[in-house]
Each structure stands twice: as C-alpha cells, then as structure tokens.
C-alpha cells in the first residue's frame, strides 16, 4: 500500500500540474515554453525510489505526459522517460544529487537528453512531424525552465515520504 | 529467489517496458489510421483534469477581468461625477444668464416704449432689510455724476419702486413705496377713483381715497396719476389686495399688494426726465 502511494501520490501531483499547465500557459501565450514536471519527477524518482518503483513511476509519468501532449505518437514520452530514468539511476549511483543546485544541473542535462531523444523518435516514427527545428530551438529554454522543478519535486517527494512514514508509525502504535 | 534471477527479471522487465513504447510509437506514427484504444484511454484520463482546470482558470481570469473592469468603472464614475458637477455649474450660470438676459431685454423694451422719459438704468448694489426680513431701502449704483437728484422716481417695467431719497457720490438710496414716509397719487383708472398710496413700513401699503360708492374688485391695478409731480402718469404701482374698503373718518382704505417683490430686484430705471408726462420735470419738486 505504501509503495503504491509512493508511486501514485507524485503522479497525482504531476497530473494536477499538467492539467493546469496547459490552460495557464495558453492564457499567458507562452505555450511553447512549458516546463516538464514529468521529467523532474523521473529525476527525483531515480534518486529516491527503489529501481523497480522508479521505473514504474517513470513509465506512468510518461504515459500521463503522452496523454496531455497529444499530436505525438503514444509511447514517445514513456520511452523518453524510461531512458532518462535509466540515465539518472546510473548517475545517482555515482553522484548524490540531492543538493538543489546539483539537482537542477542534472535535470537540465536530462532535459537536453529528452529533447535529443524526442528528436530521434519523432524522426524515426512520426511520419507527419516536420518541425524539427522547433525542438532544437526550444531545447535549451525548456531545459532552463524545467531545471528549477527538480528541487521543487524533490521537496514534494520528501513531504509525501514524511506523511507516509508518519502514517506508518501511527499504524504501528 | 536468487539475486541473479532477480536481476534477470529486472532486465527482462526493463526490456519489455522499453520495447512496448517503441511498438506503440511505430503503430501510432503511421499516417492513415483510426484512433487507438490507448489514445482513447489517455484522452479519457487527461480530459477531465484539463477541463476542470480550464474552467477554474477561466473563472479566475474572468473574475480578475471583472475586478479590473470595476476599478476602471470606479475611475470613470469619479471622472463623470466631476464632469457632472462642472456641467451643473455651467448650467446654473447659463440659467442665471438667461434670466438676466430676459430681464435686461424687458427693461430695454420698456425703455423703448417710454421714449418720452429719460431713463437711467441702475443696478441694485445693496438692500436694507427690516427685522421682519422685508426690504425697506435699496441702494443703486448711480449718483451725482449721472445727474441723479433727490425725489427722482425709480421704476421698473413691472411697476414703481419708489423715489430717490439721498444721493451721495456715485450712489443713491431709494425710499420704497412701502416706506411709512412714502405717499403718492394713484388711481383706479377704470373707475375714476383717485387717492393716495401710503406706505406702512412692514405691512402692505394702503390706498386711501375719498368716500366712493363704487364696488371694488380684488386685483384691480393702481396706476400713478402724475399729480404729485414726482411719478410719471400711468405706471403700475400695485393691485388691490381686498375688495371691501375700510372706512377711516371721511376716507376709505384698501390694502394694496405691490407690483414688485423688492427682495428680488436687481435692476431699475431712474427717471431723470419725462417731459411729456411732467411738464417741469422732477427737478422742480421741492
């Protein structure tokens, strides 16, 4: 139960962020510069969750992002998030990036990697997509916008963890 | 389960998880295809959240716009109020000017009608009031320089005001027909009844005349006769305020309502010469 909540609660947060992100950015006419909270969750999951839980979280976050994105083949974000998760897991074994600055740097790099992967997958699988220059043009701005979300998601994740631990202690009493 | 078996399971799971999206991408990347189950599922999953947030945001934005709009309305309201105040002032001035223009036109017409009289237009610059708030004396802005002399009649198109009492420099004071010292020869021309109009101070002036059997009617006009050699003949002085005279000794008395309201008087004419009506002119009056 606790494991399921550990996966579900951050996903719920991502769902809410993605739900509000789209109309909010459209209202302020900055639709193209959308931060990627799903990617931030993947980086945090790689650091804080066990491998299997993190892998599932990444896949489900990718699925959510696929649902909210639209216009790209279903599975694109799932694949990207899984690969980013593997990369972050590999990084976390060598670098404890809990520090907000380090987390932001890792997320910045992860975002650049995600743009690269996006470009590759769309080039391979999407026969209708032709705005490749847009991906390159937005790669760095999007990475810069997404990077600060890492420490935020890490804080949210620690909050969830604290709540779940408290509940657990309560049930033991 | 042994560790290497666990690791193998994990690797297989990883490979499956990585392979499935690739297959999905391959399938969904085709140009001509119908909507898949996965797409329908994702749409159903994400649409409610987006819809709810969209509604909430739209409500928030609308409320914000409404608030900003109201702020503008408030500003507009204040500006319009100020404008209305200005316009009220302008309208009030215009109304005052209109009244003044009418009065002056009336006086001009009167002056043209009375060509035989030498009329000097004067402005009321002060008025003395009794403790009962009735006007007892007026001060005009004409004096010796304009050849104004004591006993000169002061009139308006609507009736007689009184006579000049004192002249000093550029000003003169007028004794009203209501003053207790005032008396003038008047008549009810249609009936051939003539007598004297005597001021009473605060009350209405009295028309005093010799015994007469005529029936009087309230509202009948009293005109100057010109016999007193002060006031020109034929000017309205007032109107009978009662129809039944009161006998005082050998004479009868009737109260008179003056033709003018002195408290609102602003302009008047001083008759400085009326050769047709007064052969010798008011200067000759001792």
């Amino acid at each position: 139960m606790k494991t399921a909540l550990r996966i579900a609660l951050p996903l719920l947060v991502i769902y809410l962020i993605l739900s509000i992100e789209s109309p909010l950015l459209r209202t302020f006419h900055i639709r193209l510069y959308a931060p990627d909270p799903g990617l931030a969750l993947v980086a945090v999951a790689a650091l804080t969750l066990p491998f299997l839980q993190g892998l599932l979280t990444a896949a489900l976050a990718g699925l959510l992002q696929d649902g909210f994105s639209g216009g790209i083949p279903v599975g694109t974000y799932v694949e990207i998030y899984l690969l980013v998760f593997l990369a972050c897991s590999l990084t976390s074994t060598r670098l404890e990036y809990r520090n907000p600055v380090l987390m932001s740097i890792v997320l910045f790099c992860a975002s650049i990697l995600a743009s690269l992967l996006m470009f590759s997958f769309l080039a391979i699988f999407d026969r209708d997509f032709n705005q490749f220059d847009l991906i390159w043009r937005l790669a760095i701005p999007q990475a810069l916008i997404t990077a600060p979300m890492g420490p935020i998601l890490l804080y949210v994740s620690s909050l969830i963890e604290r709540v779940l631990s408290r509940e657990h202690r309560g049930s033991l009493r | 389960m042994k560790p290497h078996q666990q690791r193998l399971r994990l690797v297989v799971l990883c490979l499956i998880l990585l392979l499935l999206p690739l297959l999905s991408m391959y399938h969904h990347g085709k140009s001509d295809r119908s909507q898949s189950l996965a797409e329908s599922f994702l749409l159903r999953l994400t649409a409610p959240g987006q819809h709810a947030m969209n509604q909430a945001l739209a409500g928030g934005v609308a409320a914000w716009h409404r608030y900003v709009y109201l702020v503008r309305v408030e500003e507009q309201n204040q500006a319009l109020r100020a404008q209305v105040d200005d316009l009220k002032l302008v309208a009030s001035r215009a109304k005052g000017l209109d009244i003044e223009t009418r009065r002056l036109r009336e006086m001009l017409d009167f002056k043209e009608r009375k060509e035989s009289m030498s009329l000097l237009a004067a402005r009321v610059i002060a008025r003395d009031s009794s403790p009962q708030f009735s006007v007892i004396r007026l001060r005009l802005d004409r004096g010796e320089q304009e050849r104004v002399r004591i006993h000169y009649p002061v009139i308006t198109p609507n009736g007689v005001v009184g006579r000049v009492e004192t002249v000093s420099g550029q000003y003169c004071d007028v004794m009203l027909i209501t003053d207790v010292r005032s008396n003038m020869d008047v008549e009810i021309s249609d009936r051939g009844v003539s007598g004297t109009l005597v001021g009473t101070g605060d009350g209405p002036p009295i028309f005093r005349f010799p015994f007469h059997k005529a029936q009087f009617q309230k509202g009948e006009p009293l005109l100057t006769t010109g016999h007193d050699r002060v006031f020109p003949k034929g000017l309205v002085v007032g109107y009978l305020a009662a129809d039944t005279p009161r006998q005082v000794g050998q004479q009868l008395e009737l109260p008179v309502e003056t033709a003018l309201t002195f408290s609102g008087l602003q302009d008047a004419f001083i008759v400085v010469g009326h050769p047709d009506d007064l052969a010798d002119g008011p200067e000759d009056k001792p």
Side-chain angles (χ1 to χ4, degrees):
Chain A
M1 182 63 185
K2 195 179 164 188
T3 307
L5 281 176
R6 208 171 267 158
I7 296 170
L9 288 178
L11 282 173
L12 187 69
V13 172
I14 296 303
Y15 180 87
L16 291 173
I17 293 174
L18 288 173
S19 295
I20 200 165
E21 192 184 72
S22 168
L24 199 68
L25 296 175
R26 199 170 54 234
T27 303
F28 294 107
H29 309 289
I30 45 171
R31 195 167 51 87
L32 290 176
Y33 301 99
D36 192 342
L39 200 70
L41 178 64
V42 169
V44 170
L47 189 70
T48 57
L49 294 179
F51 184 79
L52 192 60
Q53 288 176 27
L55 198 70
L56 276 172
T57 305
L60 290 171
L63 204 64
L64 272 182
Q65 187 66 280
D66 272 333
F68 279 104
S69 297
I72 56 168
V74 175
T76 309
Y77 272 107
V78 178
E79 189 70 25
I80 291 170
Y81 281 6
L82 283 171
L83 291 171
V84 168
F85 173 77
L86 291 175
C88 286
S89 288
L90 209 65
T91 310
S92 68
T93 55
R94 286 167 177 76
L95 178 72
E96 185 77 5
Y97 55 86
R98 282 181 186 274
N99 177 300
V101 179
L102 278 179
M103 170 58 89
S104 298
I105 292 168
V106 167
L107 199 54
F108 178 85
C109 298
S111 183
I112 298 287
L113 174 67
S115 293
L116 223 144
L117 290 169
M118 173 72 80
F119 175 81
S120 312
F121 292 139
L122 290 179
I124 298 167
F125 295 107
D126 196 341
R127 288 144 185 92
D128 301 324
F129 194 79
N130 53 12
Q131 293 179 304
F132 295 105
D133 61 323
L134 195 69
I135 295 177
W136 291 125
R137 199 146 47 82
L138 293 178
I140 290 178
Q142 199 157 12
L144 286 170
I145 296 165
T146 304
M149 294 208 77
I152 296 169
L153 257 291
L154 189 64
Y155 176 71
V156 171
S157 173
S158 67
L159 272 181
I160 292 169
E161 188 60 38
R162 218 176 297 161
V163 170
L164 289 176
S165 306
R166 204 179 299 157
E167 274 183 9
H168 183 63
R169 277 203 300 274
S171 64
L172 283 177
R173 277 173 206 158
Chain B
M1 195 184 286
K2 289 174 183 174
H4 74 275
Q5 282 179 322
Q6 269 187 339
R7 192 171 294 166
L8 188 68
R9 257 180 76 181
L10 215 57
V11 169
V12 171
L13 186 71
C14 258
L15 285 174
I16 291 169
L17 277 176
L18 285 169
L19 193 65
L20 278 175
L22 287 173
L23 290 172
S24 170
M25 277 192 278
Y26 175 75
H27 172 71
H28 290 100
K30 288 175 186 171
S31 296
D32 304 319
R33 59 173 186 84
S34 56
Q35 193 176 22
S36 69
L37 278 172
E39 281 172 325
S40 301
F41 166 73
L42 287 176
L43 193 69
R44 279 172 190 274
L45 183 73
T46 56
Q50 271 182 321
H51 179 70
M53 291 297 179
N54 219 351
Q55 293 285 100
L57 195 70
V61 169
W64 170 254
H65 280 186
R66 218 174 300 138
Y67 171 72
V68 171
Y69 180 70
L70 279 179
V71 166
R72 282 183 192 152
V73 163
E74 179 59 28
E75 284 169 4
Q76 237 172 4
N77 202 8
Q78 280 176 0
L80 287 171
R81 273 171 201 268
Q83 217 173 342
V84 165
D85 287 345
D86 289 348
L87 288 172
K88 271 184 184 170
L89 201 67
V90 170
S92 162
R93 280 181 191 153
K95 200 174 175 182
L97 283 173
D98 185 46
I99 292 167
E100 192 175 3
T101 307
R102 259 189 254 170
R103 198 179 64 245
L104 293 173
R105 189 174 293 158
E106 218 170 64
M107 290 183 74
L108 195 65
D109 289 346
F110 178 73
K111 196 175 180 182
E112 281 171 3
R113 278 202 311 273
K114 303 282 182 185
E115 274 182 348
S116 56
M117 293 185 205
S118 183
L119 299 176
L120 179 68
R123 188 167 285 262
V124 177
I125 56 167
R127 41 175 74 87
D128 292 341
S129 301
S130 71
Q132 287 76 28
F133 302 107
S134 58
V135 179
I136 52 174
R137 196 171 52 178
L138 295 176
R139 180 162 291 172
L140 306 179
D141 64 345
R142 300 291 180 186
E144 290 162 349
Q145 287 177 344
E146 287 88 8
R147 295 184 293 117
V148 178
R149 301 283 179 270
I150 292 171
H151 297 303
Y152 273 13
V154 180
I155 61 173
T156 72
N158 297 319
V160 176
V161 178
R163 69 180 80 181
V164 175
E165 188 184 10
T166 52
V167 182
S168 173
Q170 298 174 341
Y171 309 103
C172 66
D173 284 345
V174 180
M175 182 172 65
L176 303 177
I177 57 172
T178 51
D179 196 295
V180 282
R181 294 167 295 160
S182 167
N183 59 73
M184 59 197 296
D185 288 347
V186 292
E187 62 177 357
I188 302 173
S189 60
D190 295 344
R191 303 188 184 277
V193 180
S194 59
T196 311
L197 186 80
V198 184
T200 58
D202 282 334
I206 300 291
F207 175 44
R208 196 171 284 160
F209 55 99
F211 189 82
H212 202 281
K213 284 185 177 175
Q215 291 289 313
F216 299 99
Q217 278 188 348
K218 195 178 168 185
E220 281 189 272
L222 276 158
L223 305 178
T224 52
T225 58
H227 297 157
D228 53 17
R229 300 174 66 80
V230 175
F231 294 95
K233 184 178 163 58
L235 296 173
V236 179
V237 178
Y239 304 92
L240 292 182
D243 44 17
T244 313
R246 188 165 66 98
Q247 188 169 357
V248 179
Q250 295 296 310
Q251 291 187 309
L252 296 176
E253 282 182 359
L254 275 169
V256 175
E257 189 185 338
T258 55
L260 298 169
T261 309
F262 302 115
S263 57
L265 201 66
Q266 291 190 15
D267 302 283
F269 286 116
I270 302 170
V271 185
V272 291
H274 43 98
D276 291 345
D277 298 319
L278 284 171
D280 301 320
E283 289 116 319
D284 298 330
K285 179 85 182 176

